[in-house]
Amino acid sequence: MTRGPVIDGRRLLAHLDAFAAIGATPAGGVNRPALGPHDRAARALLAELGAARGFSVFQDAAANLFLRRAGADNDRPPMLIGSHLDSQPTGGRFDGALGTLAALEVLETLEDQKIVTAGPVELVAWTNEEGSRFSPGAFGSQVYAHGAFPAGWQDAVDSNGARLTDELAATLTALPAAAERPFGGRFTGYLELHIEQGPLLERDGALIGVVEGIQGTRWLEVSIEGQVAHAGTTPLADRHDAMAVAATIIARLQETVMPADADARLTVGRLSLTPGAVNVIPGEVTFSIDLRHPNGPEIERLEAEIIGLTAETAASGGCHASVRTSMDVAPARFDRRLIGIVEDSAKQRAFPCRRMFSGAFHDALFMARLGPAAMIFVPCRGGLSHNEAEYVEPHQVIAGAQVLCDATLEAVAALATA
Ligand code: HGY
Ligand code: MN
Ligand code: MN
């Protein structure tokens, strides 16, 4: 495998700074919720940068954004590279943006050096990967993989009552220069560069993560219904305290699930109660559960355990409970050939690398269901992500983008003939 062209690290770092300014937070992170004004501004800047280099700009009805650089034979399915531009409310400046802007850097490097690839190479910026404003996450790549909006997905409403359909329409019209394109479509391969969002690479002193697959994720919405009553006059035996029931369930889950299994991940990230007055017993509590495991059947078992515990605890507290699944993503394994290409690319550059699984879900998970997909990780300081302090050293940014460039060129040549 020959070593490909050297990317322009300075240009990439400058692009990362420019995008970090869109939705920048005072603490140094970004707050760029999907399909909001800042997301639209980031998409517009990406489209402008792509058009300025002569790449054609497309978007599908889920607002997935594509920049296309033609190849020798443009009837071949494109090689797709990219990630996402939306962020968590207290997100970091690298989650998603790194992979998207590294993909832009690859296209620009090919253009600078007039490299003619066998087939087209396209950057893709997926819509709503984070899922924090509208559920589910990885929205754009799931719709791409599904070929249509799954039933009910367009009815999503955010916590301020904004409807997804309205926000999607505003986002699409905000890019009039983007040509429309249908959902889905064959592709030669998909590569995504992303920060690890965990501590393993940094702990191992590795610069590149060769990602073999992604664990499964399930999001549950637990609702507990009790009875609103006076905090001062209602004895224990007469209480139907939704908050007491929720707290018991959450405490039991924290004491049992992760301590019993090092591979399990359980997080209660969102909780709301009504009426929310100091001297009133809460009548209703809803909370989220983010459940993850590399082993699909284990997620099933844990969900059944959660449902049983919820029903039993609610009954003993004189309350009713319901559990709704708002996202269900099975584990995925990446393409062996693409994993090998990523590993060889890192080794050719003498970048210390290690194979690993991803604890976070990514758009690559859904692309892996359609064709050859793989991911490249770089470390982030302290393994911290979904946090405004998220940080990647410049040399790590550049190494990740260089491997993406080398692996993209290798994949276009190797997979197109496969
Ligand atoms: O939650 C996730 O795994 C992704 O970072 N959105
Ligand atoms: Mn991400
Ligand atoms: Mn994320």
Side-chain angles (χ1 to χ4, degrees):
M1 175 181 172
T2 50
R3 289 189 3 175
V6 176
I7 61 142
D8 181 337
R10 215 194 312 275
R11 176 170 58 194
L12 172 55
L13 294 170
H15 280 159
L16 276 165
D17 287 345
F19 279 77
I22 303 173
T25 62
V30 286
N31 177 10
R32 208 163 43 218
L35 302 174
H38 291 316
D39 190 22
R40 290 200 271 276
R43 292 161 49 81
L45 178 55
L46 181 64
E48 183 193 320
L49 290 169
R53 294 307 307 263
F55 308 141
S56 28
V57 183
F58 298 88
Q59 62 185 354
D60 65 20
N64 292 315
L65 180 58
F66 301 85
L67 299 184
R68 179 182 173 89
R69 181 176 185 269
D73 173 2
N74 292 302
D75 292 334
R76 285 174 187 243
M79 177 71 198
L80 290 175
I81 55 178
S83 192
H84 61 94
L85 288 173
D86 66 300
S87 83
Q88 290 288 339
T90 52
R93 47 185 289 178
F94 297 95
D95 178 356
L98 173 66
T100 307
L101 298 174
L104 175 65
E105 178 51 38
V106 170
L107 292 186
E108 293 208 72
T109 299
L110 300 183
E111 195 61 18
D112 292 344
Q113 311 213 5
K114 306 260 174 287
I115 290 172
V116 180
T117 48
V121 179
E122 292 188 0
L123 174 157
V124 52
W126 298 110
T127 301
N128 186 27
E129 188 279 342
E130 294 295 357
S132 56
R133 182 183 181 199
F134 296 109
S135 263
F139 178 90
S141 53
Q142 291 199 66
V143 171
Y144 180 97
H146 205 72
F149 289 107
W153 281 25
Q154 290 167 284
D155 306 333
V157 175
D158 76 3
S159 53
N160 302 317
R163 292 166 1 127
L164 179 135
T165 41
D166 299 337
E167 296 297 273
L168 199 45
T171 301
L172 291 168
T173 45
L175 265 191
E180 248 183 76
R181 98 164 9 174
F183 287 138
R186 290 179 51 237
F187 54 92
T188 298
Y190 175 78
L191 277 174
E192 180 168 355
L193 170 65
H194 205 285
I195 53 174
E196 176 199 342
Q197 300 182 294
L200 303 181
L201 288 175
E202 189 178 64
R203 204 170 287 167
D204 280 6
L207 190 45
I208 296 292
V210 181
V211 189
E212 298 181 284
I214 299 185
Q215 67 178 344
T217 298
R218 194 160 293 183
W219 285 355
L220 306 176
E221 195 81 12
V222 180
S223 300
I224 311 290
E225 244 175 270
Q227 185 184 51
V228 175
H230 195 296
T233 56
T234 314
L236 180 59
D238 300 284
R239 288 182 176 227
H240 306 274
D241 184 339
M243 189 59 220
V245 166
T248 306
I249 294 167
I250 293 168
R252 263 300 289 290
L253 290 176
Q254 296 295 5
E255 283 154 14
T256 53
V257 174
M258 288 179 71
D261 178 350
D263 286 334
R265 300 284 183 274
L266 181 136
T267 310
V268 177
R270 198 165 34 206
L271 184 144
S272 62
L273 58 77
T274 50
V278 171
N279 51 357
V280 177
I281 297 172
E284 186 166 348
V285 175
T286 58
F287 60 90
S288 64
I289 294 179
D290 177 313
L291 180 64
R292 312 223 183 175
H293 203 285
N295 174 308
E298 192 51 25
I299 293 180
E300 298 294 340
R301 192 190 68 75
L302 286 168
E303 183 184 39
E305 205 175 283
I306 290 166
I307 291 170
L309 170 66
T310 300
E312 182 197 311
T313 314
S316 63
C319 294
H320 295 284
S322 65
V323 180
R324 182 177 67 85
T325 303
S326 64
M327 188 166 113
D328 180 7
V329 175
R333 295 195 75 89
F334 289 140
D335 179 88
R336 264 182 323 93
R337 292 163 303 170
L338 261 182
I339 291 168
I341 286 173
V342 168
E343 192 163 51
D344 291 348
S345 306
K347 288 182 176 166
Q348 287 274 336
R349 296 281 175 185
F351 295 151
C353 61
R354 60 156 280 178
R355 292 198 171 205
M356 60 195 295
F357 257 74
S358 173
F361 64 75
H362 297 284
D363 296 301
L365 190 154
F366 302 95
M367 297 306 278
R369 295 184 180 160
L370 299 175
M375 290 188 78
I376 305 157
F377 276 175
V378 289
C380 47
R381 189 168 54 198
L384 211 50
S385 180
H386 284 191
N387 181 307
E388 294 163 285
E390 184 182 277
Y391 183 73
V392 184
E393 302 286 347
H395 76 277
Q396 296 166 333
V397 165
I398 293 167
Q402 186 61 65
V403 169
L404 179 67
C405 189
D406 296 346
T408 298
L409 282 172
E410 185 61 26
V412 170
L415 298 185
T417 50

